[in-house]
Amino acid sequence: MTTERIKFYQTGTFTAGNRLLDEATRTVQSRLDRTNSLNSGHRACQGCGEALGARYALDAAMRASHNQLIAVNATGCLEVFSSPYPESAWQIPWMHSLFGNAPAVASGIAAALRAKRRDDVTVIAQGGDGATVDIGFGCLSGMFERNDDVLYLCYDNEAYMNTGIQRSGATPPFARTNTTQAVGEHPGNPIGNGKNVPRIALAHGIPYVATASVADLHDLERKVTKAIGVRGARYIHVHVPCPLGWGSDPAHTMKVARLAVESGLFPLFEAEFGKVICSTPIRRKVPVERYLELQTRFKHLFGPPQDTEALAAIQAMADDNIAVYGLME
Amino acid sequence: MRMQIEGSQAVAEAIALCQPEVIAAYPISPQTHIVERLSRKTKQGHIGRCQFLNVESEFAALSVLIGASASGARTYTATSSQGLLFMAEAVYNVAGLGLPIVMTIANRAIGAPINIWNDHSDSMALRDAGWIQLFAEDNQDAVDLHIQAFRLAESLSCPVMVCMDGYVLTHAYEPVDVPDAVQVNAYLPPYDPVQVLDPERPVSIGAMVGPEAFTEVKYFLHQQHLRALEVMPELVEAFEQHFQRRSGGLCSAYRMEDADIAVIAMGSVIGTIKDAVDELRNTGVRVGCVKIGCYRPFPKFQVSALLEKTTRVIVVEKDLAVGMGGIVSADVQSALQGRQISVHTVIAGLGGRSISTSSLKHMILEARAERLTEPYFLDLNKTVIEQELARRRDIRRAGPVAEHMLQTMNVIGTKVS
Ligand SMILES: Cc1ncc(C[n+]2csc(CCOP(=O)(O)OP(=O)(O)O)c2C)c(N)n1
Ligand code: SF4
Ligand SMILES: [Mg+2]
């Protein structure tokens, strides 16, 4: 059997394309023997960035761990669309307990494996931004602080999507959600709120922290693979557009995710033991409007009249990221 | 080996003998001495390769055990009061998932007002979460129930809470026979999980279940509890064979042979009630006592059978269903459905108030004379309440109730006794 039958296009990107790479450097996703950890047949919306992000990350993790993986899932879209019995889409040992305890459940699995002298199995915990930055934050910080042997994957779609698009601590300023409506004096999510959990993870001094985007498959897979090779608490924050919640075209999921990176709004970086060690450069900076205008959650910013102040504030955030993480160097 | 030992230390020794593989705990009085000793023993390597996790909350403690138990490890934690409520969501989750976790509840009141002393409000709040609930009468009982609890939990794949009265038992030094490893190993087989997270045989645990099967899944759990009613007497028999003493069990009777009046209770107050029974028996009152050792599942038929000849039942309980009255008494009432028998509810010992034999004797005689209000609050200071009610009528911004009551009572600092 040849690998020619797999087609893998990323049109409109700067990526060379898998078929032009030698086999060893191709992505796990492009391989015939990928595990499809999250198999087809689940119930995610069309163009769901979270479904893609989870499959990309877990297939890479499966390969890196020689298929010795156990995953814990917080309550949320990923858990709900993937799992109603008896139609679980999971091909790997998978457990869901509650919305706010995935990091602790994973710590418990890691502890049990240690008690049983199994050091060949990797434990992953995964959850949405709500599960991670809000309700599960205490458990996450505890898992970090104890340096438990767990890789935590946050799929950040910037709101509580499973319950119908409500604001979370990761919702960006000005975004419209169903609890930060585009009405009143300051339409959308108030500026100045929110928390940057990758930076908080970094402050715990854990062995590995990274941000990744569903639009940069090579980078995402590389980071997951690297994280699997490290012991102790590890954290990867993956940016995953949600067409339903963001009001973007399901066909534009990759484009939207890529523009978040290329505008500087979602910086890609890696950190080890509390220090940022590298960032992924932006190749051609785009103004934030190119990203925002594809999403109805920011529609109120474009007027008429256009909210130039808000747009400038968002641009300032992007410019700040570019400066802080050296994205244009 | 028989030794003079604090209840908490004895329980920690019993847990260590059961060889848990993962313990996770968060400190709260009066549970602390148990987990402190276990942390020391694990660190010294005295419990095999057991992992002791110091976590950031009770919610995390039980969540850690969820993961560990689903990975095939024997697991243990202990908590009290606010701690149990803080983990409430996980408590239900454990039962729903059918994970045989064992947890000690060092029973303590629930605030506000914040109060660290003993009553049963904490276990009662979670009584219907799907955990088996055993109540210890004394520290020997506490030790023995924990050993039985692991065998019971693992045989049914159902979690068990062992409830022991905070301070009254946890901090009391009594002679206790702490068994040895050979005895415990002979009684308690290794944990053989019914479901396990294993990369070689992937399963999905904890996925969503809709209306099609939710009732059946819950009924199954109920059925496991009913099975526990059958299994428990067998475990008690087996325990007696291995350890040469009788401990635990669903419920038991004291001087009930010809009793007209039965006093029903759970936990350490049973000792005081037995004293009151003895003293009243000396004056010719035909009274006995029934101990409920297993509260969930509730041994309806067994309790009812012990009350065959009784005409009056007094349930003494250390909890309060606000706006309703008794909790245990409601269960006793349902066990006695269709029988001509008066059931009195007596709320006693809330927030650590001591329950004296004289108050109990007085209450029993009042019940016999049909003079008890329903529910009856043992040793209630009515004057204080009337004064506070009057204040509330006169002053809108009357301030914190608790503070004024203590002022009225002229108490300086909180008195414990
Ligand atoms: C304790 C608790 N509170 C609230 C909920 C309701 N709830 C379930 S999923 C969810 C939102 C999940 O948001 P997020 O973690 O961002 O994941 P997403 O669905 O966006 O992928 C909420 C609020 C719950 N299940 N449990
Ligand atoms: S609501 Fe968003 S995150 Fe949830 S399944 Fe749909 S696209 Fe995915
Ligand atoms: Mg989300």
Side-chain angles (χ1 to χ4, degrees):
Chain A
M1 196 188 289
T2 67
T3 54
E4 291 307 304
R5 283 167 52 223
I6 289 221
K7 293 204 171 76
F8 193 82
Y9 300 107
Q10 284 195 316
T11 44
T13 74
F14 302 107
T15 329
N18 262 289
R19 288 171 306 146
L20 303 179
L21 296 172
D22 66 79
E23 240 186 279
T25 44
R26 289 184 193 180
T27 58
V28 176
Q29 263 322 290
S30 68
R31 299 177 61 97
L32 273 178
D33 63 354
R34 71 172 193 218
T35 42
N36 289 322
S37 314
L38 173 64
N39 214 353
S40 57
H42 59 69
R43 308 169 184 200
C45 308
Q46 266 190 354
C48 173
E50 188 164 273
L52 280 174
R55 199 184 72 209
Y56 291 174
L58 290 176
D59 282 355
M62 276 292 270
R63 187 173 170 80
S65 69
H66 309 289
N67 302 335
Q68 297 300 302
L69 205 67
I70 297 175
V72 178
N73 215 128
T75 314
C77 265
L78 176 59
E79 169 261 329
V80 171
F81 72 60
S82 68
S83 74
Y85 281 134
E87 294 156 9
S88 173
W90 295 100
Q91 309 269 65
I92 54 176
W94 177 92
M95 178 172 204
H96 164 252
S97 170
L98 294 167
F99 188 20
N101 71 355
V105 173
S107 291
I109 296 172
L113 291 169
R114 210 156 50 238
K116 292 176 183 299
R117 297 180 196 276
R118 287 289 303 264
D119 57 5
D120 56 327
V121 181
T122 298
V123 183
I124 283 186
Q126 47 184 358
D129 50 292
T132 309
V133 321
D134 290 341
I135 198 164
F137 187 66
C139 287
L140 184 70
S141 174
M143 186 272 274
F144 287 164
E145 169 268 316
R146 292 185 303 270
N147 199 24
D148 290 336
D149 195 14
V150 172
L151 165 57
Y152 190 96
L153 296 165
C154 169
Y155 303 114
D156 182 6
N157 55 21
E158 303 186 336
Y160 296 117
M161 295 313 177
N162 187 50
T163 33
I165 321 162
Q166 296 85 19
R167 176 202 181 275
S168 83
T171 301
F174 306 106
R176 184 256 301 135
T177 69
N178 286 326
T179 50
T180 54
Q181 306 270 1
V183 296
E185 215 177 317
H186 300 287
N189 195 33
I191 193 161
N193 297 349
K195 52 183 137 170
N196 188 333
V197 169
R199 293 219 62 105
I200 299 173
L202 203 145
H204 287 76
I206 56 174
Y208 187 71
V209 174
T211 57
S213 168
V214 72
D216 194 338
L217 181 58
H218 277 280
D219 184 68
L220 169 60
E221 288 191 349
R222 184 182 61 75
K223 285 169 175 167
V224 171
T225 305
K226 184 169 173 186
I228 296 289
V230 176
R231 303 309 290 255
R234 293 144 285 163
Y235 180 77
I236 303 181
H237 192 101
V238 191
H239 199 232
V240 288
C242 162
L244 189 84
W246 295 10
S248 54
D249 187 328
H252 286 169
T253 295
M254 288 302 171
K255 186 174 178 183
V256 170
R258 198 165 52 249
L259 287 169
V261 173
E262 293 294 321
S263 63
L265 278 175
F266 192 84
L268 300 182
F269 67 89
E270 282 178 282
E272 289 177 7
F273 299 103
K275 291 194 180 61
V276 177
I277 53 157
C278 68
S279 52
T280 310
I282 294 175
R283 278 184 259 190
R284 191 180 57 203
K285 185 185 168 191
V286 295
V288 293
E289 282 88 347
R290 295 293 81 74
Y291 168 66
L292 303 173
E293 69 196 5
L294 295 176
Q295 309 169 51
T296 58
R297 65 176 173 155
F298 294 113
K299 189 160 170 260
H300 54 283
L301 300 182
F302 293 94
Q306 212 176 56
D307 190 342
T308 45
E309 222 173 285
L311 292 171
I314 298 174
Q315 186 61 56
M317 285 167 51
D319 294 342
D320 192 47
N321 283 336
I322 290 168
V324 168
Y325 294 99
L327 302 178
M328 300 287 287
E329 285 156 20
Chain B
M1 196 176 62
R2 216 172 152 73
M3 51 179 108
Q4 185 75 12
I5 185 172
E6 190 203 40
S8 298
Q9 312 292 333
V11 165
E13 287 302 321
I15 296 304
L17 287 166
C18 295
Q19 297 282 307
E21 292 165 285
V22 178
I23 300 173
Y26 189 83
I28 181 167
S29 298
Q31 148 265 36
T32 44
H33 291 182
I34 302 174
V35 297
E36 283 169 3
R37 177 125 172 179
L38 284 168
S39 96
R40 185 188 173 84
K41 290 185 83 82
T42 38
K43 208 159 179 219
Q44 288 170 324
H46 290 171
I47 320 183
R49 282 180 58 83
C50 179
Q51 307 290 311
F52 187 102
L53 272 73
N54 282 302
V55 289
E56 68 287 349
S57 74
E58 288 85 358
F59 177 63
L62 194 54
S63 298
V64 162
L65 299 193
I66 288 172
S69 183
S71 308
R74 179 171 289 163
T75 54
Y76 172 79
T77 189
T79 192
S80 295
S81 177
Q82 317 297 138
L84 182 62
L85 293 197
F86 202 84
M87 62 166 70
E89 196 192 4
V91 172
Y92 273 82
N93 199 249
V94 167
L97 291 168
L99 298 174
I101 296 169
V102 172
M103 169 158 67
T104 307
I105 308 300
N107 287 116
R108 162 180 157 180
I110 289 172
I114 185 166
N115 174 302
I116 63 167
W117 294 279
N118 167 246
D119 67 32
H120 291 169
S121 309
D122 47 7
S123 317
M124 283 297 143
L126 274 297
R127 68 188 182 278
D128 297 322
W131 289 56
I132 290 169
Q133 287 190 334
L134 310 177
F135 279 79
E137 178 181 344
D138 53 33
N139 284 338
Q140 185 66 62
D141 208 21
V143 162
D144 297 348
L145 287 181
H146 280 94
I147 298 167
Q148 293 181 13
F150 280 105
R151 183 159 154 179
L152 179 64
E154 290 168 10
S155 74
L156 295 169
S157 217
C158 183
V160 178
M161 277 181 210
V162 181
C163 309
M164 63 189 290
D165 286 322
Y167 297 110
V168 183
L169 293 183
T170 55
H171 287 54
Y173 281 76
E174 287 175 7
V176 176
D177 187 351
V178 178
D180 61 39
V182 178
Q183 284 176 300
V184 175
N185 290 343
Y187 177 76
L188 180 64
Y191 173 36
D192 182 14
V194 300
Q195 56 185 343
V196 61
L197 294 164
D198 176 5
E200 304 314 322
R201 290 166 68 193
V203 284
S204 296
I205 298 178
M208 182 174 269
V209 173
E212 325 75 66
F214 194 78
T215 308
E216 285 69 21
V217 174
K218 289 290 169 185
Y219 183 82
F220 185 83
L221 180 56
H222 179 60
Q223 205 60 33
Q224 291 299 88
H225 268 233
L226 299 186
R227 285 245 302 122
L229 292 173
E230 295 164 17
V231 171
M232 228 177 297
E234 295 164 18
L235 291 190
V236 171
E237 289 301 321
F239 189 87
E240 192 172 3
Q241 274 166 26
H242 282 86
F243 298 87
Q244 283 76 51
R245 67 172 165 272
R246 215 168 166 77
S247 270
L250 300 171
C251 52
S252 58
Y254 179 76
R255 300 191 80 170
M256 282 295 296
E257 315 78 46
D258 60 343
D260 302 324
I261 307 173
V263 182
I264 301 185
M266 308 195 294
S268 63
V269 73
I270 291 291
T272 323
I273 293 173
K274 284 177 179 169
D275 289 345
V277 164
D278 289 344
E279 288 175 27
L280 284 175
R281 282 259 172 194
N282 289 341
T283 65
V285 183
R286 292 206 304 219
V287 59
C289 168
V290 167
K291 168 176 98 170
I292 296 174
C294 170
Y295 181 58
R296 282 292 181 271
F298 190 72
K300 262 190 189 190
F301 301 110
Q302 293 80 354
V303 168
S304 169
L306 293 178
L307 302 171
E308 203 107 82
K309 305 198 192 86
T310 318
T311 53
R312 189 179 300 281
V313 167
I314 304 168
V315 181
V316 174
E317 51 186 299
K318 291 183 174 184
D319 55 64
L320 172 64
V322 179
M324 164 60 189
I327 301 172
V328 183
S329 65
D331 292 323
V332 170
Q333 239 144 6
S334 96
L336 299 175
Q337 218 167 29
R339 282 182 51 189
Q340 288 300 322
I341 188 165
S342 334
V343 178
H344 303 280
T345 305
V346 175
I347 309 294
L350 296 188
R353 176 163 301 182
S354 62
I355 301 173
S356 67
T357 33
S358 59
S359 295
L360 284 173
K361 284 192 309 189
H362 174 73
M363 174 275 292
I364 293 166
L365 295 175
E366 290 291 289
R368 192 171 68 156
E370 296 281 355
R371 280 200 296 263
L372 283 195
T373 45
E374 284 300 326
Y376 179 77
F377 288 77
L378 196 74
D379 296 335
L380 184 70
N381 185 336
K382 290 218 177 91
T383 326
V384 167
I385 291 163
E386 272 150 25
Q387 288 184 9
E388 190 56 28
L389 284 172
R391 263 175 51 80
R392 282 293 183 105
R393 268 193 302 273
D394 300 342
I395 315 169
R396 174 66 205 163
R397 188 165 293 186
V401 175
E403 182 173 14
H404 289 111
M405 285 191 172
L406 284 160
Q407 276 168 359
T408 313
M409 292 163 95
N410 212 1
V411 173
I412 301 172
T414 298
K415 204 170 72 189
V416 202
S417 63

